[in-house]
Amino acid sequence: MPRSNGVSTAPNVLDSANYDPLEHLNAIFSDPFTLSSVSSISGALRSYQDELDEEIAELVVAQSDSDAQSVKQIKDARADLAELFRKIENVRERATQTEQSIAEMTADIKRLDQTKRNLTLSMTALKRLQMLTTAFEQLKGLSKARQYRECGQLLQAVIQLMAHFKSYRSIDQIAILSRNVADLQRELLEQVCEDFEIIFAKGEVAQHRSTLAESCLVMDALGDNARSRLITWYCNTQLREYRQVFRGNDEAGSLDNISRRYSWFKRMLKTYDEEHAAIFPSFWRVNEFLANAFCEGTRDDFRGILTRSMRRTDGQALDVNLLLSCLQETLDFEQSLERRFANDARMSTDTLSSRDEKPNIFGKAISEAFEPYLSLWVESQAKQLANMIPKYRQQQLRLPDEEFSPQSVIASSSELFHFYRVTLQQCAKLSTGIRLVELSKTFAKYLDEYAEQVLLHFLRDRPGVQIPPLEDVVLVMNTADYCHSTCAQLEGKIKGRVDEELKGKVDLQSQEDAFMGVASAAVRALVRRVEIDCEPSWREMKNTPWSKLDSVGDQSSYVAELLKHIKGQSGEILELITKQQYTRAFCDNLVEHFASAYIANIARCGPISEVGAEQMLLDSYVLKKGFEELPTLNAEPGTAVPSGYIKHVNQSMTKIDPLLKTLQVRSSPPEGLVQAYLIHIGDKSDTNFKKILDLKGVRRQDQPHLVELFQAHRASQETLLQNSPLLTPLQIHSSHIGPSKSSLGHGSTPSLQGRFDPSTLGSAIMSAARDGVDRLGTQTLTSSNIPSGTESPLQLSEATTATTTNLNDNLRSIGKFFRRDMGSFGGRFGGNKGSEDSGR
């Protein structure tokens, strides 16, 4: 379109999908001066409209022509398809006609082919019938002449030919012939059995050996039933004398003469090999059937003898030694049969893979009769173990002239597990069923007794001995570790031998835990040695006037002496500990014990001024740095301390901070002390708050006001504990109020009671196991008294701290917790991982 006053009216503007006529008009006539071009713009629009009309008309005409052409093309296509279908139908009709023509042409050929096949089958049947008739007549003659070799070959041919006429038995002649063949087979069977009976009865086997051997060919041709009948008769004949001699209730049939039974059968097998083996075909394995028959009869005899022995009313019990002797002879006999008939050496019951190999042919063929009575054998082993435990308890840990080695274990532990190994091998040969499970329970019982009555016995107090010697404690610890690891191996060996369905009943886990508990008690005894040496330092701390200090120094005098004793004793102990796991366990327990002891001594040092509390806090930091050096006391210079141990030291010593930081705050203004208590201690207990006031030396008449203020402030705190685990077990008596006394729990700290009483060590060790209390002659903070995050490998679990009276159960509980937490420094306690892994 033309332009008007510089405004384009091009068609593309009119063709826009979003065309707005008002907007377009406003653009064209943007001012009054453009109105003069109205007529020209109107003409241009009409001209553009006419052009569009013409273009539309042309397109309509073109589309009409295109539709007509498409309709024509569709009609042509339909006509072509109809013609194609007609041609296809014509082809199908011609193919049918051709097929009919070919069938008519070949019908005669098919008839001739069928006739040929029928003629061939008839000729074959007639020939076979002729062969069968001829072979039958010949077989009758050979049977009467007892020519068994020819009979055997001909009988096989007759049986094979007769099989072709099964479908013709409706014919009378064929049915008669079939009955005659069957009668001849029965006659041959009876004739051969009769020959065997007569020749064996007359003892003329050697003279007629070839005849009997040839007759076996006939029995083989007669089939499995005939062969089985002959073998059964032979076995019964050969074992008749054995049954007459040994089956009665006289002396010959008793267990005392069991060797005579086996000797008799070995002679029988020798007779078979020399005289009868040539009669029977080797693939019949007659000697194996004979051995099986002997084993079955002997097993039934033994069952009856053992049953009668258990029912005796004269008071005489079955002799266990005789039972074991008979069982061992039986196993040896079965093994000899296995070697003879399996073409293999008997698989050892001491190998785990033997159960996956070829099963034994004669395994438990006779010894099965003894299995229900093996409980007597298990009881005899239990009696032996019951006698061994007191003997081990009375033995010295090591001979006076024996040199001590840090890797040594108590000799009795090696003897015990050697006895277990030998007994297990014997039982696995006797039974892999319920008796082996019973034996495993016996093992478990006396492992518990060894842990309690032997190992813990050497940690108890003894007359004339203040505390167990250091070397003895290390021996007990090494032995407990050895027993712990060997228990796991023993359980694996038993499970490798016991029947698959009984594996779940074998469990020595509780015994492993019991030995872990003994190892824990040994480590605690080592810590106790260090504690005794540090008593003078704790007394010096108690005697320090903490309420009168006017300034904070570098460290208190008792700290250096305390660290000197700790490092001196620890260095001597660590020299004798060879495993990194035990080194870490000792250091962890020592740190935790002294952290708890430090809190107990703080409670005995009241009143404590703010300066005194600050000095104590500084002293605790010095102790913490000293504790961090314990694992490397005997190491080469520059040896890094495991980061996991550093973390444990920080956690153990940090639990002291809330108490001392609270004591650092002055009681005036009182709001500051109350707020400090709520922040650091964080509980709602009035009793615990009064303990802080007593430690600070606040007079009793001034305390009610502070308690009321505390009650007012705690009301607005919703996250406070009911009772602080740090303060709840403490019992505070300030020196200005009464006698100085503090304790943890219900008893005082032994290290703070003055001179150590050596007679209490052993009973304290046993109390730790019996009562589940985390102590060894020393009251320490239990897990309930320690803030979260301070758990140690030597802390007791909540289950262990529960009230109980069973020593073994508590030892297991200690061991479970001890082993679980030992994973933080190198896998299960007593493992072989290096120091680097232990510190991770």
Side-chain angles (χ1 to χ4, degrees), residues 377-393 412-424 426 438-451 453-454 490 494 508:
W377 177 81
V378 175
E379 291 174 3
S380 71
Q381 304 305 306
K383 291 179 180 178
Q384 291 187 51
L385 287 169
N387 294 329
M388 292 167 62
I389 296 300
K391 183 183 69 173
Y392 291 156
R393 179 188 177 100
S412 61
S413 64
S414 302
E415 294 177 9
L416 179 66
F417 280 106
H418 175 73
F419 178 85
Y420 276 13
R421 180 175 62 83
V422 173
T423 306
L424 175 60
Q426 292 177 348
E438 291 178 359
L439 182 65
S440 71
K441 294 179 179 179
T442 300
F443 285 171
K445 174 184 176 182
Y446 288 98
L447 284 173
D448 285 335
E449 291 198 8
Y450 185 79
Q453 299 184 20
V454 179
L490 178 63
I494 296 175
L508 298 180

Side-chain angles (χ1 to χ4, degrees), residues 566-576 586 630 633-634:
I566 290 174
K567 291 183 178 181
Q569 283 289 330
S570 298
E572 181 182 350
I573 291 171
L574 293 175
E575 281 183 355
L576 301 182
F586 169 74
L630 291 180
L633 288 178
N634 299 322

Side-chain angles (χ1 to χ4, degrees), residues 137-278:
E137 295 298 331
Q138 292 177 356
L139 182 61
K140 287 197 298 183
L142 293 173
S143 172
K144 293 178 181 179
R146 281 181 165 76
Q147 297 180 9
Y148 290 127
R149 180 181 296 276
E150 293 77 7
C151 277
Q153 298 174 355
L154 199 56
L155 180 59
Q156 289 181 352
V158 169
I159 293 174
Q160 292 176 1
L161 289 171
M162 198 65 227
H164 293 287
F165 291 94
K166 285 184 178 180
S167 58
Y168 299 100
R169 287 183 180 177
S170 58
I171 302 173
D172 293 340
Q173 292 81 355
I174 299 297
I176 294 172
L177 182 60
S178 176
R179 286 194 296 271
N180 292 336
V181 171
D183 292 340
L184 182 59
Q185 287 178 329
R186 284 192 294 272
E187 290 175 5
L188 278 172
L189 173 61
E190 297 299 331
Q191 182 175 311
V192 170
C193 291
E194 183 180 355
D195 289 346
F196 264 89
E197 292 175 3
I198 293 173
I199 292 173
F200 271 84
K202 293 181 178 181
E204 300 175 352
V205 176
Q207 296 87 331
H208 299 85
R209 185 175 298 152
S210 60
T211 302
L212 295 177
E214 291 173 358
S215 65
C216 288
L217 300 178
V218 175
M219 301 298 280
D220 201 39
L222 288 173
D224 294 338
N225 291 333
R227 183 168 62 246
S228 177
R229 175 179 170 179
L230 181 59
I231 292 174
T232 302
W233 171 86
Y234 174 78
C235 293
N236 291 333
T237 301
Q238 298 303 304
L239 295 176
R240 184 180 297 117
E241 179 186 355
Y242 169 77
R243 291 165 181 163
Q244 292 174 351
V245 174
F246 294 100
R247 182 157 287 184
N249 296 326
D250 55 6
E251 182 180 355
S254 64
L255 291 178
D256 295 329
N257 292 313
I258 192 171
S259 58
R260 290 180 55 189
R261 292 174 178 264
Y262 299 141
S263 298
W264 185 94
F265 186 72
K266 289 177 181 178
R267 291 195 300 272
M268 173 59 64
L269 286 181
K270 184 178 180 181
T271 302
Y272 173 86
D273 293 337
E274 294 175 353
E275 300 179 11
H276 302 162

